Amino acid sequence: AQKITQTQPGMFVQEKEAVTLDCTYDTSDPSYGLFWYKQPSSGEMIFLIYQGSYDQQNATEGRYSLNFQKARKSANLVISASQLGDSAMYFCAMRATDSWGKLQFGAGTQVVVTP
Amino acid sequence: GAGVSQSPSNKVTEKGKDVELRCDPISGHTALYWYRQRLGQGLEFLIYFQGNSAPDKSGLPSDRFSAERTGESVSTLTIQRTQQEDSAVYLCASSPLGGYSSYEQYFGPGTRLTVT
């Protein structure tokens, strides 16, 4: 069975600082995909970044980067130069090849950016 | 362009009543997904439609839950004989392709269901 774990229920970060959100996963599939989504207080889910299990390089999208450590089964999200608008819930999710359409989500990490 | 839309945005119902939640995916998206998010929790997968293939219903929590999709358009999630534990936000998402792909799922704003 697959499992996604986010151990940080909440974090405070100062504006312009970087923050790392932890995500570990457990799967026996050799092929899988990892996603990060942001959910502001308004409730919508916003896609941030994707990492495939066979990708050689860590994914980056603007201020977001994914620190992918395959042997450790971790896929931490790094947000650089935090902004007040980054305050939101962040979810890590995994798709595996035996569950074609299913994303399994972690419990999320609440990030609050302070001035 | 238009995103995923869901209706109603809020639904309050009495325990034991049936409810229907509607999702309009992005035009051209072949895959459609339903998730449930209880207060303060992550998303739970419910069901997935991909083109004309049989839907993946493995996440439906009980036989009170069912969903249909008309071709590659609208989907309806039906909850029969609602219980208080069904109270949650129900999120619909769509993507250009299903299966193993890097395409992200585009989410709708959700329907907040409250069962009294």
Side-chain angles (χ1 to χ4, degrees):
Chain A
Q2 299 171 101
K3 188 176 179 181
I4 293 278
T5 303
Q6 294 180 254
T7 56
Q8 305 153 311
M11 299 182 70
F12 285 93
V13 59
Q14 249 187 331
E15 205 175 0
K16 300 179 185 175
E17 297 290 313
V19 61
T20 298
L21 308 183
D22 295 341
C23 173
T24 58
Y25 57 91
D26 188 17
T27 181
S28 57
D29 291 322
S31 183
Y32 49 88
L34 295 155
F35 298 76
W36 277 92
Y37 280 84
K38 171 184 178 181
Q39 187 177 43
S41 57
S42 53
E44 74 267 32
M45 294 287 286
I46 302 167
F47 166 77
L48 297 178
I49 197 166
Y50 169 82
Q51 179 85 43
S53 59
Y54 291 120
D55 292 344
Q56 294 297 312
Q57 293 187 324
N58 287 344
T60 60
E61 288 286 348
R63 294 186 299 111
Y64 304 106
S65 61
L66 200 151
N67 183 3
F68 182 47
Q69 297 188 43
K70 193 170 182 177
R72 292 187 172 187
K73 293 188 175 178
S74 77
N76 298 341
L77 177 71
V78 180
I79 307 173
S80 62
S82 297
Q83 303 171 355
L84 295 178
D86 293 334
S87 294
M89 196 76 166
Y90 289 81
F91 292 98
C92 179
M94 177 170 66
R95 166 184 288 151
T97 52
D98 64 344
S99 59
W100 294 97
K102 183 190 306 185
L103 280 183
Q104 184 164 359
F105 285 81
T109 296
Q110 180 72 50
V111 172
V112 175
V113 181
T114 59
Chain B
V4 177
S5 61
Q6 292 185 245
S7 60
S9 55
N10 279 285
K11 177 71 177 179
V12 180
T13 189
E14 291 180 354
K15 178 181 172 181
K17 301 278 190 183
D18 297 353
V19 294
E20 282 190 354
L21 311 180
R22 177 187 169 106
C23 172
D24 284 88
I26 294 172
S27 177
H29 281 193
T30 60
L32 186 146
Y33 317 78
W34 283 98
Y35 295 88
R36 176 172 72 179
Q37 185 176 28
R38 290 195 167 113
L39 186 65
Q41 297 184 21
L43 279 69
E44 301 171 70
F45 167 80
L46 296 177
I47 189 168
Y48 156 60
F49 296 90
Q50 169 59 52
N52 294 320
S53 302
D56 177 354
K57 304 180 182 180
S58 60
L60 294 178
S62 76
D63 58 8
R64 296 187 296 105
F65 288 72
S66 63
E68 293 183 348
R69 186 181 186 193
T70 307
E72 292 187 352
S73 60
V74 171
S75 175
T76 303
L77 177 69
T78 301
I79 308 173
Q80 296 179 311
R81 306 181 301 282
T82 51
Q83 303 294 314
Q84 288 186 329
E85 63 262 28
D86 299 335
S87 295
V89 176
Y90 289 82
L91 290 156
C92 175
S94 69
S95 66
L97 294 173
Y100 183 64
S101 74
S102 63
Y103 286 102
E104 69 266 29
Q105 298 178 11
Y106 294 80
F107 282 81
T111 293
R112 182 175 300 277
L113 175 66
T114 303
V115 182
T116 61

mmCIF file of all heavy atoms in Angstrom, chain A residues 27-56:
data_model
loop_
_atom_site.group_PDB
_atom_site.id
_atom_site.type_symbol
_atom_site.label_atom_id
_atom_site.label_comp_id
_atom_site.label_asym_id
_atom_site.label_seq_id
_atom_site.Cartn_x
_atom_site.Cartn_y
_atom_site.Cartn_z
ATOM 1 N N THR A 27 6.171 3.465 -1.307
ATOM 2 C CA THR A 27 5.568 2.723 -2.394
ATOM 3 C C THR A 27 6.529 1.635 -2.848
ATOM 4 O O THR A 27 7.741 1.802 -2.737
ATOM 5 C CB THR A 27 5.223 3.634 -3.585
ATOM 6 O OG1 THR A 27 4.618 2.848 -4.619
ATOM 7 C CG2 THR A 27 6.452 4.323 -4.148
ATOM 8 N N SER A 28 5.990 0.556 -3.351
ATOM 9 C CA SER A 28 6.821 -0.510 -3.910
ATOM 10 C C SER A 28 6.891 -0.403 -5.426
ATOM 11 O O SER A 28 7.588 -1.189 -6.070
ATOM 12 C CB SER A 28 6.263 -1.872 -3.496
ATOM 13 O OG SER A 28 4.927 -1.996 -3.912
ATOM 14 N N ASP A 29 6.169 0.562 -5.987
ATOM 15 C CA ASP A 29 6.206 0.745 -7.440
ATOM 16 C C ASP A 29 7.509 1.412 -7.843
ATOM 17 O O ASP A 29 7.931 2.374 -7.211
ATOM 18 C CB ASP A 29 5.051 1.624 -7.905
ATOM 19 C CG ASP A 29 3.714 0.942 -7.771
ATOM 20 O OD1 ASP A 29 3.644 -0.279 -8.030
ATOM 21 O OD2 ASP A 29 2.752 1.611 -7.409
ATOM 22 N N PRO A 30 8.131 0.939 -8.915
ATOM 23 C CA PRO A 30 9.353 1.603 -9.385
ATOM 24 C C PRO A 30 9.054 2.908 -10.120
ATOM 25 O O PRO A 30 9.915 3.768 -10.236
ATOM 26 C CB PRO A 30 9.967 0.573 -10.337
ATOM 27 C CG PRO A 30 8.792 -0.218 -10.817
ATOM 28 C CD PRO A 30 7.810 -0.258 -9.686
ATOM 29 N N SER A 31 7.836 3.034 -10.598
ATOM 30 C CA SER A 31 7.460 4.194 -11.387
ATOM 31 C C SER A 31 6.321 4.935 -10.699
ATOM 32 O O SER A 31 5.266 4.357 -10.441
ATOM 33 C CB SER A 31 7.038 3.741 -12.791
ATOM 34 O OG SER A 31 6.736 4.838 -13.601
ATOM 35 N N TYR A 32 6.547 6.200 -10.427
ATOM 36 C CA TYR A 32 5.511 6.974 -9.731
ATOM 37 C C TYR A 32 5.751 8.456 -10.002
ATOM 38 O O TYR A 32 6.800 8.853 -10.522
ATOM 39 C CB TYR A 32 5.516 6.694 -8.220
ATOM 40 C CG TYR A 32 6.875 6.783 -7.568
ATOM 41 C CD1 TYR A 32 7.364 7.988 -7.079
ATOM 42 C CD2 TYR A 32 7.677 5.649 -7.460
ATOM 43 C CE1 TYR A 32 8.611 8.063 -6.502
ATOM 44 C CE2 TYR A 32 8.928 5.717 -6.884
ATOM 45 C CZ TYR A 32 9.397 6.928 -6.396
ATOM 46 O OH TYR A 32 10.640 7.008 -5.830
ATOM 47 N N GLY A 33 4.774 9.265 -9.658
ATOM 48 C CA GLY A 33 4.887 10.707 -9.811
ATOM 49 C C GLY A 33 4.538 11.401 -8.514
ATOM 50 O O GLY A 33 3.676 10.944 -7.764
ATOM 51 N N LEU A 34 5.195 12.489 -8.261
ATOM 52 C CA LEU A 34 4.982 13.244 -7.028
ATOM 53 C C LEU A 34 4.555 14.671 -7.368
ATOM 54 O O LEU A 34 5.122 15.285 -8.279
ATOM 55 C CB LEU A 34 6.260 13.263 -6.194
ATOM 56 C CG LEU A 34 6.693 11.890 -5.688
ATOM 57 C CD1 LEU A 34 8.187 11.853 -5.423
ATOM 58 C CD2 LEU A 34 5.910 11.511 -4.449
ATOM 59 N N PHE A 35 3.566 15.169 -6.655
ATOM 60 C CA PHE A 35 3.006 16.484 -6.904
ATOM 61 C C PHE A 35 2.971 17.278 -5.600
ATOM 62 O O PHE A 35 2.831 16.711 -4.512
ATOM 63 C CB PHE A 35 1.550 16.364 -7.398
ATOM 64 C CG PHE A 35 1.364 15.636 -8.699
ATOM 65 C CD1 PHE A 35 1.442 14.255 -8.759
ATOM 66 C CD2 PHE A 35 1.091 16.337 -9.860
ATOM 67 C CE1 PHE A 35 1.254 13.572 -9.960
ATOM 68 C CE2 PHE A 35 0.888 15.661 -11.071
ATOM 69 C CZ PHE A 35 0.975 14.297 -11.111
ATOM 70 N N TRP A 36 3.049 18.589 -5.753
ATOM 71 C CA TRP A 36 2.749 19.493 -4.643
ATOM 72 C C TRP A 36 1.637 20.439 -5.089
ATOM 73 O O TRP A 36 1.669 20.971 -6.202
ATOM 74 C CB TRP A 36 3.975 20.315 -4.232
ATOM 75 C CG TRP A 36 4.898 19.591 -3.302
ATOM 76 C CD1 TRP A 36 5.979 18.824 -3.635
ATOM 77 C CD2 TRP A 36 4.828 19.580 -1.877
ATOM 78 N NE1 TRP A 36 6.580 18.328 -2.506
ATOM 79 C CE2 TRP A 36 5.894 18.783 -1.406
ATOM 80 C CE3 TRP A 36 3.977 20.172 -0.939
ATOM 81 C CZ2 TRP A 36 6.136 18.554 -0.048
ATOM 82 C CZ3 TRP A 36 4.211 19.949 0.404
ATOM 83 C CH2 TRP A 36 5.276 19.158 0.851
ATOM 84 N N TYR A 37 0.668 20.613 -4.170
ATOM 85 C CA TYR A 37 -0.432 21.537 -4.387
ATOM 86 C C TYR A 37 -0.490 22.524 -3.235
ATOM 87 O O TYR A 37 -0.144 22.197 -2.102
ATOM 88 C CB TYR A 37 -1.771 20.783 -4.461
ATOM 89 C CG TYR A 37 -2.063 20.130 -5.783
ATOM 90 C CD1 TYR A 37 -1.550 18.876 -6.085
ATOM 91 C CD2 TYR A 37 -2.842 20.775 -6.738
ATOM 92 C CE1 TYR A 37 -1.832 18.275 -7.304
ATOM 93 C CE2 TYR A 37 -3.121 20.186 -7.962
ATOM 94 C CZ TYR A 37 -2.605 18.934 -8.239
ATOM 95 O OH TYR A 37 -2.876 18.347 -9.444
ATOM 96 N N LYS A 38 -1.000 23.716 -3.555
ATOM 97 C CA LYS A 38 -1.209 24.770 -2.557
ATOM 98 C C LYS A 38 -2.708 25.001 -2.418
ATOM 99 O O LYS A 38 -3.422 25.035 -3.426
ATOM 100 C CB LYS A 38 -0.525 26.056 -3.046
ATOM 101 C CG LYS A 38 -0.811 27.309 -2.243
ATOM 102 C CD LYS A 38 -0.132 28.500 -2.930
ATOM 103 C CE LYS A 38 -0.429 29.810 -2.203
ATOM 104 N NZ LYS A 38 0.213 30.971 -2.885
ATOM 105 N N GLN A 39 -3.173 25.135 -1.191
ATOM 106 C CA GLN A 39 -4.581 25.418 -0.966
ATOM 107 C C GLN A 39 -4.708 26.640 -0.061
ATOM 108 O O GLN A 39 -4.586 26.544 1.164
ATOM 109 C CB GLN A 39 -5.301 24.216 -0.349
ATOM 110 C CG GLN A 39 -6.815 24.401 -0.257
ATOM 111 C CD GLN A 39 -7.544 23.180 0.285
ATOM 112 O OE1 GLN A 39 -7.099 22.568 1.252
ATOM 113 N NE2 GLN A 39 -8.661 22.821 -0.333
ATOM 114 N N PRO A 40 -4.951 27.816 -0.653
ATOM 115 C CA PRO A 40 -5.156 29.021 0.175
ATOM 116 C C PRO A 40 -6.459 28.907 0.957
ATOM 117 O O PRO A 40 -7.237 27.969 0.755
ATOM 118 C CB PRO A 40 -5.242 30.147 -0.868
ATOM 119 C CG PRO A 40 -4.825 29.551 -2.163
ATOM 120 C CD PRO A 40 -5.040 28.079 -2.078
ATOM 121 N N SER A 41 -6.694 29.884 1.805
ATOM 122 C CA SER A 41 -7.900 29.851 2.638
ATOM 123 C C SER A 41 -9.177 29.878 1.805
ATOM 124 O O SER A 41 -10.241 29.463 2.280
ATOM 125 C CB SER A 41 -7.884 31.007 3.634
ATOM 126 O OG SER A 41 -7.771 32.233 2.947
ATOM 127 N N SER A 42 -9.074 30.347 0.576
ATOM 128 C CA SER A 42 -10.246 30.362 -0.302
ATOM 129 C C SER A 42 -10.663 28.960 -0.743
ATOM 130 O O SER A 42 -11.774 28.766 -1.229
ATOM 131 C CB SER A 42 -9.961 31.220 -1.535
ATOM 132 O OG SER A 42 -8.768 30.797 -2.147
ATOM 133 N N GLY A 43 -9.774 28.005 -0.592
ATOM 134 C CA GLY A 43 -10.162 26.617 -0.816
ATOM 135 C C GLY A 43 -9.728 25.981 -2.121
ATOM 136 O O GLY A 43 -9.767 24.759 -2.238
ATOM 137 N N GLU A 44 -9.347 26.774 -3.119
ATOM 138 C CA GLU A 44 -8.991 26.136 -4.383
ATOM 139 C C GLU A 44 -7.657 25.422 -4.276
ATOM 140 O O GLU A 44 -6.806 25.782 -3.483
ATOM 141 C CB GLU A 44 -8.960 27.154 -5.533
ATOM 142 C CG GLU A 44 -7.773 28.086 -5.548
ATOM 143 C CD GLU A 44 -8.014 29.392 -4.835
ATOM 144 O OE1 GLU A 44 -8.774 29.398 -3.852
ATOM 145 O OE2 GLU A 44 -7.437 30.389 -5.259
ATOM 146 N N MET A 45 -7.487 24.384 -5.040
ATOM 147 C CA MET A 45 -6.236 23.622 -5.088
ATOM 148 C C MET A 45 -5.427 24.110 -6.280
ATOM 149 O O MET A 45 -5.901 24.081 -7.414
ATOM 150 C CB MET A 45 -6.515 22.128 -5.239
ATOM 151 C CG MET A 45 -7.198 21.506 -4.038
ATOM 152 S SD MET A 45 -6.116 21.323 -2.638
ATOM 153 C CE MET A 45 -5.101 19.955 -3.168
ATOM 154 N N ILE A 46 -4.202 24.544 -6.017
ATOM 155 C CA ILE A 46 -3.346 25.101 -7.063
ATOM 156 C C ILE A 46 -2.130 24.216 -7.228
ATOM 157 O O ILE A 46 -1.371 24.000 -6.285
ATOM 158 C CB ILE A 46 -2.911 26.539 -6.688
ATOM 159 C CG1 ILE A 46 -4.138 27.425 -6.472
ATOM 160 C CG2 ILE A 46 -1.996 27.118 -7.762
ATOM 161 C CD1 ILE A 46 -3.829 28.748 -5.805
ATOM 162 N N PHE A 47 -1.930 23.699 -8.443
ATOM 163 C CA PHE A 47 -0.770 22.864 -8.737
ATOM 164 C C PHE A 47 0.502 23.702 -8.687
ATOM 165 O O PHE A 47 0.558 24.814 -9.216
ATOM 166 C CB PHE A 47 -0.937 22.242 -10.117
ATOM 167 C CG PHE A 47 0.320 21.636 -10.668
ATOM 168 C CD1 PHE A 47 0.758 20.411 -10.200
ATOM 169 C CD2 PHE A 47 1.061 22.284 -11.635
ATOM 170 C CE1 PHE A 47 1.912 19.831 -10.706
ATOM 171 C CE2 PHE A 47 2.210 21.721 -12.150
ATOM 172 C CZ PHE A 47 2.641 20.496 -11.684
ATOM 173 N N LEU A 48 1.538 23.163 -8.048
ATOM 174 C CA LEU A 48 2.805 23.887 -7.949
ATOM 175 C C LEU A 48 3.913 23.238 -8.769
ATOM 176 O O LEU A 48 4.608 23.913 -9.532
ATOM 177 C CB LEU A 48 3.257 23.960 -6.482
ATOM 178 C CG LEU A 48 2.365 24.725 -5.514
ATOM 179 C CD1 LEU A 48 2.934 24.642 -4.115
ATOM 180 C CD2 LEU A 48 2.189 26.166 -5.960
ATOM 181 N N ILE A 49 4.098 21.920 -8.591
ATOM 182 C CA ILE A 49 5.291 21.304 -9.156
ATOM 183 C C ILE A 49 5.108 19.794 -9.226
ATOM 184 O O ILE A 49 4.354 19.210 -8.434
ATOM 185 C CB ILE A 49 6.526 21.693 -8.303
ATOM 186 C CG1 ILE A 49 7.839 21.459 -9.040
ATOM 187 C CG2 ILE A 49 6.517 20.986 -6.947
ATOM 188 C CD1 ILE A 49 9.031 22.151 -8.370
ATOM 189 N N TYR A 50 5.797 19.181 -10.210
ATOM 190 C CA TYR A 50 5.726 17.729 -10.417
ATOM 191 C C TYR A 50 7.127 17.147 -10.543
ATOM 192 O O TYR A 50 8.015 17.765 -11.142
ATOM 193 C CB TYR A 50 4.949 17.432 -11.699
ATOM 194 C CG TYR A 50 5.046 15.991 -12.154
ATOM 195 C CD1 TYR A 50 4.235 15.023 -11.593
ATOM 196 C CD2 TYR A 50 5.975 15.604 -13.133
ATOM 197 C CE1 TYR A 50 4.332 13.694 -11.991
ATOM 198 C CE2 TYR A 50 6.082 14.285 -13.528
ATOM 199 C CZ TYR A 50 5.249 13.336 -12.954
ATOM 200 O OH TYR A 50 5.349 12.023 -13.340
ATOM 201 N N GLN A 51 7.303 15.932 -9.982
ATOM 202 C CA GLN A 51 8.568 15.194 -10.106
ATOM 203 C C GLN A 51 8.260 13.749 -10.455
ATOM 204 O O GLN A 51 7.503 13.085 -9.739
ATOM 205 C CB GLN A 51 9.348 15.233 -8.777
ATOM 206 C CG GLN A 51 10.648 14.481 -8.779
ATOM 207 C CD GLN A 51 11.800 15.310 -9.317
ATOM 208 O OE1 GLN A 51 11.945 16.481 -9.005
ATOM 209 N NE2 GLN A 51 12.637 14.696 -10.122
ATOM 210 N N GLY A 52 8.803 13.269 -11.551
ATOM 211 C CA GLY A 52 8.645 11.872 -11.912
ATOM 212 C C GLY A 52 9.756 11.040 -11.285
ATOM 213 O O GLY A 52 10.879 11.531 -11.098
ATOM 214 N N SER A 53 9.462 9.798 -10.990
ATOM 215 C CA SER A 53 10.434 8.973 -10.269
ATOM 216 C C SER A 53 11.689 8.711 -11.086
ATOM 217 O O SER A 53 12.743 8.418 -10.527
ATOM 218 C CB SER A 53 9.798 7.653 -9.841
ATOM 219 O OG SER A 53 9.328 6.926 -10.975
ATOM 220 N N TYR A 54 11.606 8.813 -12.397
ATOM 221 C CA TYR A 54 12.767 8.570 -13.240
ATOM 222 C C TYR A 54 13.455 9.854 -13.693
ATOM 223 O O TYR A 54 14.430 9.813 -14.433
ATOM 224 C CB TYR A 54 12.361 7.746 -14.469
ATOM 225 C CG TYR A 54 11.976 6.328 -14.124
ATOM 226 C CD1 TYR A 54 10.704 5.851 -14.415
ATOM 227 C CD2 TYR A 54 12.872 5.463 -13.509
ATOM 228 C CE1 TYR A 54 10.342 4.551 -14.100
ATOM 229 C CE2 TYR A 54 12.512 4.159 -13.186
ATOM 230 C CZ TYR A 54 11.257 3.709 -13.491
ATOM 231 O OH TYR A 54 10.889 2.423 -13.173
ATOM 232 N N ASP A 55 12.913 10.982 -13.244
ATOM 233 C CA ASP A 55 13.545 12.254 -13.624
ATOM 234 C C ASP A 55 14.907 12.354 -12.973
ATOM 235 O O ASP A 55 15.046 12.114 -11.766
ATOM 236 C CB ASP A 55 12.668 13.432 -13.188
ATOM 237 C CG ASP A 55 11.367 13.505 -13.959
ATOM 238 O OD1 ASP A 55 11.284 12.840 -15.026
ATOM 239 O OD2 ASP A 55 10.441 14.210 -13.518
ATOM 240 N N GLN A 56 15.882 12.731 -13.767
ATOM 241 C CA GLN A 56 17.255 12.796 -13.263
ATOM 242 C C GLN A 56 17.516 14.042 -12.440
ATOM 243 O O GLN A 56 18.348 14.053 -11.533
ATOM 244 C CB GLN A 56 18.230 12.739 -14.438
ATOM 245 C CG GLN A 56 18.210 11.419 -15.191
ATOM 246 C CD GLN A 56 18.654 10.257 -14.323
ATOM 247 O OE1 GLN A 56 19.665 10.317 -13.633
ATOM 248 N NE2 GLN A 56 17.866 9.188 -14.323
#
